[in-house]
Amino acid sequence: AGARQLSLRLWAGPHCQRISRCILLEHHCDSTGARRLILAIDARGVVAVVTEEAEPAPPTGTGLVSTDAPHADGAVEPWPELRLVRLAGGSAQWQSWPMGAAFGRPISEADAARAAASAGRPLLTEAGRRAVVRAIEAYHLQHVLEPSVAGFLSILEKQFARADLYLCVRALFPSPT
Protein backbone atom coordinates (compact mmCIF):
# COMPACT_ATOMS: atom_id res chain seq x y z
CA ALA A 1 0.00 0.00 0.00
CA GLY A 2 2.91 2.36 0.74
CA ALA A 3 4.22 2.09 -2.81
CA ARG A 4 0.89 3.42 -4.12
CA GLN A 5 1.57 6.68 -2.30
CA LEU A 6 4.59 7.42 -4.48
CA SER A 7 4.15 9.19 -7.77
CA LEU A 8 4.60 6.88 -10.74
CA ARG A 9 7.91 8.60 -11.62
CA LEU A 10 9.38 8.13 -8.15
CA TRP A 11 8.13 4.55 -7.93
CA ALA A 12 9.66 3.66 -11.32
CA GLY A 13 13.13 5.07 -10.57
CA PRO A 14 14.73 2.05 -8.86
CA HIS A 15 13.16 -0.41 -11.32
CA CYS A 16 14.38 1.48 -14.38
CA GLN A 17 17.87 2.06 -12.96
CA ARG A 18 18.34 -1.70 -12.67
CA ILE A 19 17.91 -2.17 -16.43
CA SER A 20 19.56 1.00 -17.78
CA ARG A 21 21.11 4.24 -16.58
CA CYS A 22 18.25 6.55 -17.44
CA ILE A 23 16.25 9.58 -16.46
CA LEU A 24 12.50 9.55 -16.01
CA LEU A 25 10.31 12.28 -17.45
CA GLU A 26 6.56 12.76 -17.38
CA HIS A 27 4.92 12.91 -20.80
CA HIS A 28 1.44 14.19 -21.63
CA CYS A 29 -0.04 11.96 -24.31
CA ASP A 30 -2.74 14.38 -25.38
CA SER A 31 -3.22 18.11 -25.64
CA THR A 32 -5.47 18.19 -22.54
CA GLY A 33 -2.77 16.72 -20.30
CA ALA A 34 -5.27 14.17 -19.00
CA ARG A 35 -3.29 11.11 -20.13
CA ARG A 36 0.18 10.99 -18.61
CA LEU A 37 2.87 8.38 -18.59
CA ILE A 38 6.54 8.25 -17.73
CA LEU A 39 9.30 7.99 -20.33
CA ALA A 40 12.54 6.25 -19.30
CA ILE A 41 15.26 7.85 -21.42
CA ASP A 42 18.85 6.65 -21.68
CA ALA A 43 21.77 7.68 -23.89
CA ARG A 44 20.26 5.91 -26.90
CA GLY A 45 16.67 7.14 -26.61
CA VAL A 46 13.36 6.17 -25.05
CA VAL A 47 14.12 2.81 -23.44
CA ALA A 48 10.73 2.18 -21.82
CA VAL A 49 7.31 3.60 -21.05
CA VAL A 50 6.03 3.40 -17.47
CA THR A 51 2.27 3.14 -16.83
CA GLU A 52 -0.26 2.20 -14.20
CA GLU A 53 -1.91 -1.20 -14.55
CA ALA A 54 -5.31 0.33 -15.30
CA GLU A 55 -3.98 2.41 -18.18
CA PRO A 56 -4.02 1.04 -21.69
CA ALA A 57 -0.53 0.67 -23.07
CA PRO A 58 0.76 1.37 -25.54
CA PRO A 59 -1.10 4.64 -25.95
CA THR A 60 -3.19 4.98 -29.05
CA GLY A 61 -1.36 6.13 -32.14
CA THR A 62 1.83 5.10 -33.81
CA GLY A 63 4.21 6.77 -31.44
CA LEU A 64 5.25 9.63 -29.22
CA VAL A 65 3.96 12.78 -30.93
CA SER A 66 5.99 15.95 -30.79
CA THR A 67 3.77 18.63 -29.28
CA ASP A 68 6.00 21.66 -29.85
CA ALA A 69 3.60 24.35 -31.04
CA PRO A 70 5.91 25.96 -33.64
CA HIS A 71 7.09 22.58 -34.91
CA ALA A 72 3.92 20.50 -34.74
CA ASP A 73 4.58 18.68 -37.98
CA GLY A 74 2.90 15.44 -37.01
CA ALA A 75 6.26 13.65 -36.67
CA VAL A 76 6.32 10.77 -34.22
CA GLU A 77 8.87 8.89 -32.14
CA PRO A 78 8.05 5.17 -32.22
CA TRP A 79 6.94 3.76 -28.87
CA PRO A 80 9.60 1.55 -27.30
CA GLU A 81 8.87 -2.14 -26.95
CA LEU A 82 9.58 -2.18 -23.20
CA ARG A 83 6.87 -1.29 -20.70
CA LEU A 84 7.10 -1.13 -16.93
CA VAL A 85 3.68 -1.50 -15.35
CA ARG A 86 2.84 -0.71 -11.74
CA LEU A 87 0.38 -3.40 -10.73
CA ALA A 88 -2.52 -2.80 -8.32
CA GLY A 89 -0.53 -4.13 -5.33
CA GLY A 90 2.42 -1.83 -6.10
CA SER A 91 4.64 -4.53 -7.61
CA ALA A 92 6.42 -4.10 -10.94
CA GLN A 93 5.93 -6.05 -14.14
CA TRP A 94 8.15 -5.64 -17.17
CA GLN A 95 6.45 -6.29 -20.50
CA SER A 96 7.50 -6.68 -24.09
CA TRP A 97 4.85 -4.89 -26.14
CA PRO A 98 5.74 -4.76 -29.84
CA MET A 99 4.05 -2.06 -31.89
CA GLY A 100 0.74 -3.33 -33.20
CA ALA A 101 0.37 -6.10 -30.63
CA ALA A 102 -2.93 -6.20 -28.74
CA PHE A 103 -1.26 -7.03 -25.41
CA GLY A 104 2.11 -6.97 -23.74
CA ARG A 105 3.89 -10.18 -22.78
CA PRO A 106 5.35 -10.27 -19.24
CA ILE A 107 9.14 -10.66 -19.20
CA SER A 108 11.77 -10.88 -16.46
CA GLU A 109 13.85 -7.94 -15.32
CA ALA A 110 16.90 -9.67 -16.84
CA ASP A 111 15.14 -9.87 -20.22
CA ALA A 112 14.19 -6.19 -19.90
CA ALA A 113 17.84 -5.31 -19.20
CA ARG A 114 18.95 -7.27 -22.29
CA ALA A 115 16.36 -5.49 -24.43
CA ALA A 116 17.44 -2.11 -23.04
CA ALA A 117 21.10 -2.86 -23.85
CA SER A 118 20.30 -4.02 -27.39
CA ALA A 119 22.29 -2.26 -30.09
CA GLY A 120 19.26 -2.71 -32.35
CA ARG A 121 17.21 -0.14 -30.46
CA PRO A 122 16.61 2.90 -32.64
CA LEU A 123 18.12 6.27 -31.75
CA LEU A 124 15.84 9.20 -30.95
CA THR A 125 14.24 10.84 -33.96
CA GLU A 126 13.77 14.60 -34.26
CA ALA A 127 10.23 14.24 -32.87
CA GLY A 128 11.58 12.26 -29.92
CA ARG A 129 14.21 14.89 -29.18
CA ARG A 130 11.54 17.61 -29.24
CA ALA A 131 9.30 15.63 -26.89
CA VAL A 132 12.20 15.05 -24.46
CA VAL A 133 13.11 18.75 -24.45
CA ARG A 134 9.48 19.68 -23.76
CA ALA A 135 9.28 17.17 -20.91
CA ILE A 136 12.48 18.58 -19.36
CA GLU A 137 11.19 22.15 -19.73
CA ALA A 138 7.87 21.22 -18.10
CA TYR A 139 9.68 19.47 -15.25
CA HIS A 140 11.91 22.46 -14.53
CA LEU A 141 9.07 24.98 -14.80
CA GLN A 142 7.02 22.97 -12.33
CA HIS A 143 9.81 22.62 -9.77
CA VAL A 144 11.47 26.01 -10.02
CA LEU A 145 8.23 27.62 -8.81
CA GLU A 146 8.23 25.68 -5.52
CA PRO A 147 9.35 27.83 -2.55
CA SER A 148 12.01 25.37 -1.36
CA VAL A 149 13.66 25.30 -4.79
CA ALA A 150 13.46 29.08 -5.15
CA GLY A 151 15.15 29.45 -1.76
CA PHE A 152 17.85 26.94 -2.70
CA LEU A 153 18.53 28.77 -5.97
CA SER A 154 18.87 32.10 -4.16
CA ILE A 155 21.46 30.52 -1.82
CA LEU A 156 23.36 29.15 -4.82
CA GLU A 157 23.40 32.57 -6.45
CA LYS A 158 25.14 33.96 -3.37
CA GLN A 159 27.72 31.15 -3.21
CA PHE A 160 28.48 30.35 -6.85
CA ALA A 161 29.01 32.59 -9.83
CA ARG A 162 27.14 30.13 -12.09
CA ALA A 163 24.38 28.35 -10.14
CA ASP A 164 23.01 26.83 -13.34
CA LEU A 165 26.38 25.22 -14.04
CA TYR A 166 26.52 23.89 -10.46
CA LEU A 167 23.11 22.25 -10.90
CA CYS A 168 24.12 20.68 -14.23
CA VAL A 169 27.34 19.25 -12.78
CA ARG A 170 25.46 17.83 -9.76
CA ALA A 171 22.89 16.25 -12.07
CA LEU A 172 25.57 14.64 -14.27
CA PHE A 173 27.87 13.59 -11.45
CA PRO A 174 25.79 12.86 -8.34
CA SER A 175 27.48 12.05 -5.07
CA PRO A 176 28.25 8.33 -4.68
CA THR A 177 25.72 6.53 -2.51
Side-chain angles (χ1 to χ4, degrees):
R4 279 308 237 187
Q5 301 304 316
L6 289 176
S7 72
L8 187 60
R9 187 180 65 79
L10 290 175
W11 171 87
H15 302 288
C16 290
Q17 290 300 322
R18 287 194 294 267
I19 69 150
S20 178
R21 184 175 178 170
C22 59
I23 61 170
L24 301 173
L25 298 172
E26 189 172 285
H27 174 66
H28 300 273
C29 296
D30 58 27
S31 59
T32 67
R35 177 89 200 287
R36 295 178 184 168
L37 50 78
I38 305 301
L39 301 176
I41 302 162
D42 65 7
R44 190 163 185 83
V46 182
V47 67
V49 172
V50 183
T51 64
E52 296 283 358
E53 180 179 38
E55 295 177 351
T60 57
T62 58
L64 176 67
V65 177
S66 171
T67 55
D68 279 352
H71 304 289
D73 54 8
V76 296
E77 172 73 21
W79 291 111
E81 187 173 322
L82 280 179
R83 302 285 187 273
L84 174 60
V85 179
R86 176 164 56 181
L87 301 176
S91 61
Q93 181 182 75
W94 284 101
Q95 297 180 352
S96 173
W97 200 315
M99 185 56 76
F103 299 99
R105 176 180 53 83
I107 60 174
S108 69
E109 188 175 89
D111 288 340
R114 279 190 287 280
S118 169
R121 273 186 38 228
L123 296 173
L124 275 177
T125 64
E126 180 65 25
R129 290 189 292 272
R130 288 182 197 159
V132 167
V133 168
R134 274 195 67 84
I136 292 170
E137 286 175 345
Y139 176 82
H140 286 291
L141 285 175
Q142 174 187 358
H143 291 284
V144 111
L145 298 176
E146 293 180 8
S148 61
V149 174
F152 176 68
L153 291 176
S154 70
I155 291 170
L156 284 179
E157 287 174 353
K158 294 172 187 163
Q159 292 182 346
F160 300 95
R162 295 274 316 270
D164 56 335
L165 182 59
Y166 172 81
L167 291 174
C168 290
V169 168
R170 295 300 295 163
L172 293 173
F173 304 102
S175 300
T177 53

